[in-house]
Amino acid sequence: MALGELTTEELLENFELFDDWEERYRYLIDLGRKLPDFPETDKNDTTKVNGCISQVWMTAEIEDGPPQRVLLKADSDAHIVKGLIAVLLVVYSHKTPQEVLATDINGVFEQLELGSHISVNRRNGFYAMVERIKSLAAAA
Amino acid sequence: MTQAVATNDRATTFDVAAVRADFPILARNVHKKPLVYLDNAASSQKPRQVIEAVDQYYRRHNANVHRGLHTLSDEATAAYEAAREKVRGFINAAEIAEVIFTKGTTEAINLVAASYGRAHLSAGDEVLITYMEHHSNIVPWQMICEQTGAVLRVCPINERGELLLDAFEKLLSDKTRVVAFNHISNALGTVNPVKKMVKMAHAVGAVTVVDGAQAVPHQRIDVRDLDCDFYAFSGHKMFAPTGIGILYGKRYLLEQMPPYQGGGDMIKTVSFEKTVYNELPSKFEAGTPIIAGAVGLGAAVDYLERVGLDAVSAYEHSLLEYGDQRLKSVPGLRMIGDAVDKTSVFSFVMEGAHPHDIGTILSHTGVAVRTGHHCTEPLMKFFKVPGTVRASLAFYNTREEIDQLVDGLAKVREMLL
């Protein structure tokens, strides 16, 4: 299934099928491989999300409506981070700013048992991405 | 898991099962697997002897030091000063006046940079550091150079991660006032020839500041034999609590230096017209110190002395050889830092796997390693890597744990490739 067709609910259901971390991460890595292409030319200082360990690039824009929608593209040099980005895209992309702001992203990651990736270390690039998307939605 | 190791040159036996039993945290599980703690260069675990010393201090003796006449204050002062004497013996300093308690290595280096630097550096003077320094031995010198107009020079390294001593000698001149370098590189494990470098620096009249944070947990340190002018280290990397560290300095240099911070305990008399500073080492210990931390550090020194640093070095060397051979057999693995003289640190990258992926997957197998730039961004740029995976060992680690690391890396390859 292409990434764009997946809903948050389906994602949560799919993760529930897995018994252990290994299956969960294999699926996550697989999701990361399905990320839409992020043009190399867009990997610059403006799109770069500052993080300590891996590199992340992201563009976020608001598509004119009605209704307005948040459009996201992102990439990373780490497989697991690409997978986390894929989750983020499923949850946030093509949603209205109101839906983005109403989403409990921490809750989704907790349910996926991936909570440590966004809550433990606020200095990581992933946390910065979420903040960037939320402030874009708030300004829309 | 009793593992007696006989090394070639020294017939040392080392009962690793016995020392492991002293560290309560090593018995815990993470992700339902036994913890394999290989992040000792970031921070070490604490033996119960240290935990109990801190516990006892708070339960029985807690009071402020150097102030009261009451029993608890006397006991707290005695415990605090006893810890200083233990540290003095541990590094073989000439006297306790030369042993200053700080928050850690970072504060110790900042103290020297600010206090010695401000008093002795001016425009055109040079400070020499090396390419393999931790940010904490780069930034304080950049800051003082900016303030004084002094120039920062950087000694290059080779592809193995060793200092180029010829270049080091060429960079030294009559303009060099301070030479600051680590004893052992945190990111690579390279052991620098401190004694030789100190001698070369002294030949041009420069003072030497050695960052010993990565050395004290692994080998015997004798500051008088090294003849360095300053030696800085942290308690938490040598099995003591966080928040306590040491600055060793030669008395005549410390005497010349202005205080770093003002406050209580560092003064003899205070009036609004003139304040007279206290004697060493109090002159550099403004405010209520980290008393419990010092007591814990004293207990860690006792512990290390009992285990024996020579035995520790020999055992860790055998782990290094074993790990080196096992890791180099992992397909696609490239070791970053391969110095002839190194401690038990394995810094590496793997083809097709980002350090972030490796660190995350290893964590789920119970193995704790550090991933990232290790606060050495210039060094990572030199090796053209975004960061590395670093497994850093302590004397409580075992060959079985290295096997678990290697198994974890096989899992990484299997999951990613």
Side-chain angles (χ1 to χ4, degrees):
Chain A
M1 190 187 277
L3 202 59
E5 298 163 24
L6 203 61
T7 65
T8 307
E9 289 68 32
E10 285 166 339
L11 192 67
L12 289 168
E13 279 168 24
N14 289 348
F15 267 86
E16 264 178 32
L17 298 173
F18 305 129
D19 297 328
D20 63 10
W21 71 272
E22 217 178 303
E23 290 179 358
R24 240 178 12 255
Y25 274 87
R26 280 181 200 279
Y27 181 62
L28 188 71
I29 291 162
D30 204 41
L31 285 177
R33 295 202 165 112
K34 291 178 180 164
L35 273 184
D37 282 343
F38 190 94
E40 285 300 314
T41 47
D42 282 357
K43 291 182 179 174
N44 54 46
D45 284 348
T46 321
T47 58
K48 191 163 175 190
V49 182
N50 286 325
C52 193
I53 298 169
S54 60
Q55 298 196 79
V56 174
W57 301 269
M58 180 179 77
T59 59
E61 52 189 352
I62 303 285
E63 188 184 46
D64 284 340
Q68 288 183 316
R69 292 197 185 272
V70 174
L71 293 185
L72 297 176
K73 263 190 203 165
D75 198 5
S76 169
D77 54 354
H79 292 282
I80 290 170
V81 178
K82 280 174 87 119
L84 296 169
I85 288 171
V87 173
L88 209 60
L89 257 55
V90 168
V91 175
Y92 278 150
S93 201
H94 296 283
K95 298 285 160 60
T96 66
Q98 293 74 19
E99 284 170 327
V100 165
L101 292 172
T103 304
D104 173 17
I105 190 73
N106 288 345
V108 173
F109 276 82
E110 286 301 330
Q111 267 184 280
L112 299 176
E113 293 184 54
L114 297 170
S116 63
H117 288 287
I118 57 169
S119 55
V120 174
N121 185 0
R122 294 191 160 203
R123 278 160 48 165
N124 73 20
F126 199 66
Y127 183 81
M129 275 176 85
V130 171
E131 289 300 296
R132 216 190 256 193
I133 297 165
K134 279 192 197 161
S135 57
L136 181 79
Chain B
M1 198 182 47
T2 307
Q3 196 169 331
V5 170
T7 59
N8 301 334
D9 48 343
R10 271 166 293 193
T12 313
T13 53
F14 189 78
D15 188 351
V16 68
V19 296
R20 284 183 72 83
D22 287 331
F23 290 79
I25 210 168
L26 297 180
R28 73 162 278 188
N29 286 348
V30 291
H31 295 295
K32 296 178 190 149
K33 301 195 182 63
L35 168 70
V36 175
Y37 188 77
L38 304 178
D39 194 17
N40 295 286
S43 199
S44 62
Q45 300 304 342
K46 320 304 172 199
R48 61 185 162 74
Q49 290 84 344
V50 167
I51 299 167
E52 281 162 15
V54 173
D55 183 77
Q56 274 303 302
Y57 169 75
Y58 279 125
R59 284 177 193 279
R60 298 218 13 108
H61 313 295
N62 177 55
N64 213 329
V65 294
H66 305 146
R67 283 160 175 85
L69 283 173
H70 58 82
T71 304
L72 294 191
S73 179
D74 278 348
E75 288 175 6
T77 304
Y80 182 67
E81 292 303 329
R84 196 191 305 276
E85 169 57 26
K86 284 174 188 179
V87 173
R88 186 207 63 73
F90 182 64
I91 58 172
N92 196 30
E95 47 174 329
I96 55 167
E98 298 181 327
V99 178
I100 295 157
F101 284 120
T102 66
K103 281 195 304 190
T105 308
T106 298
E107 191 184 49
I109 295 171
N110 273 278
L111 190 162
V112 180
S115 172
Y116 186 87
R118 207 172 297 145
H120 292 90
L121 291 176
S122 50
D125 288 345
E126 292 181 1
V127 173
L128 177 60
I129 61 171
T130 84
Y131 225 95
M132 66 171 92
E133 296 313 311
H134 188 283
H135 294 163
S136 65
N137 204 20
I138 300 174
V139 184
W141 301 112
Q142 279 176 327
M143 286 162 62
I144 196 67
C145 282
E146 232 165 67
Q147 288 165 26
T148 59
V151 179
L152 191 69
R153 299 263 178 214
V154 185
C155 178
I157 57 172
N158 65 20
E159 284 292 326
R160 298 178 73 107
E162 296 164 325
L163 272 186
L164 295 172
L165 277 184
D166 291 350
F168 182 77
E169 189 155 32
K170 282 196 192 105
L171 281 161
L172 289 166
S173 74
D174 56 4
K175 288 186 200 156
T176 316
R177 295 282 169 270
V178 177
V179 184
F181 52 94
N182 57 43
H183 191 156
I184 294 175
S185 153
N186 73 305
L188 309 174
T190 307
V191 182
N192 285 313
V194 174
K195 205 170 164 177
K196 204 176 200 175
M197 291 166 74
V198 167
K199 209 168 184 181
M200 288 158 86
H202 284 170
V204 297
V207 304
T208 47
V209 185
V210 181
D211 165 4
Q214 298 295 338
V216 283
H218 303 294
Q219 52 179 260
R220 189 162 289 288
I221 303 302
D222 183 332
V223 289
R224 276 189 283 178
D225 180 54
L226 295 174
D227 198 28
C228 54
D229 300 293
F230 298 97
Y231 196 94
F233 58 98
S234 300
H236 74 98
K237 293 192 204 286
M238 53 172 283
F239 320 104
T242 52
I244 188 80
I246 295 291
L247 173 67
Y248 158 81
K250 285 182 180 167
R251 178 193 267 272
Y252 83 98
L253 289 167
L254 293 172
E255 298 271 16
Q256 295 168 14
M257 288 158 57
Y260 176 50
Q261 292 178 329
D265 226 29
M266 53 76 69
I267 45 83
K268 202 172 266 170
T269 61
V270 175
S271 71
F272 289 118
E273 291 71 36
K274 173 138 186 80
T275 289
V276 179
Y277 303 132
N278 208 337
E279 306 286 333
L280 290 171
S282 299
K283 184 170 96 173
F284 291 105
E285 294 179 8
T288 297
I290 309 118
I291 308 164
V295 169
L297 179 56
V301 167
D302 284 345
Y303 186 82
L304 272 170
E305 298 280 17
R306 214 184 63 240
V307 173
L309 272 158
D310 292 335
V312 163
S313 298
Y315 175 69
E316 288 182 355
H317 189 73
S318 77
L319 281 183
L320 171 69
E321 285 183 338
Y322 180 75
D324 206 48
Q325 167 236 321
R326 291 278 351 242
L327 284 167
K328 281 178 179 165
S329 72
V330 174
L333 186 142
R334 173 185 159 212
M335 202 68 86
I336 302 292
D338 203 10
V340 173
D341 194 2
K342 72 177 271 192
T343 48
S344 45
V345 169
F346 305 107
S347 213
F348 59 86
V349 290
M350 247 170 92
E351 219 179 287
H354 191 280
H356 187 288
D357 297 320
I358 301 172
T360 306
I361 293 171
L362 285 180
S363 174
H364 280 86
T365 69
V367 179
V369 293
R370 172 87 181 261
T371 52
H373 55 57
H374 318 297
C375 296
T376 56
E377 286 187 36
L379 191 60
M380 296 297 114
K381 275 196 190 113
F382 174 84
F383 284 106
K384 298 185 182 68
V385 292
T388 71
V389 178
R390 182 188 67 187
S392 53
L393 312 187
F395 59 77
Y396 44 63
N397 289 123
T398 65
R399 290 183 179 214
E400 288 81 353
E401 289 181 312
I402 291 172
D403 293 341
Q404 273 166 279
L405 168 66
V406 172
D407 291 348
L409 293 174
K411 173 77 68 191
V412 169
R413 279 183 60 81
E414 184 217 322
M415 286 179 72
L416 293 179
L417 303 177

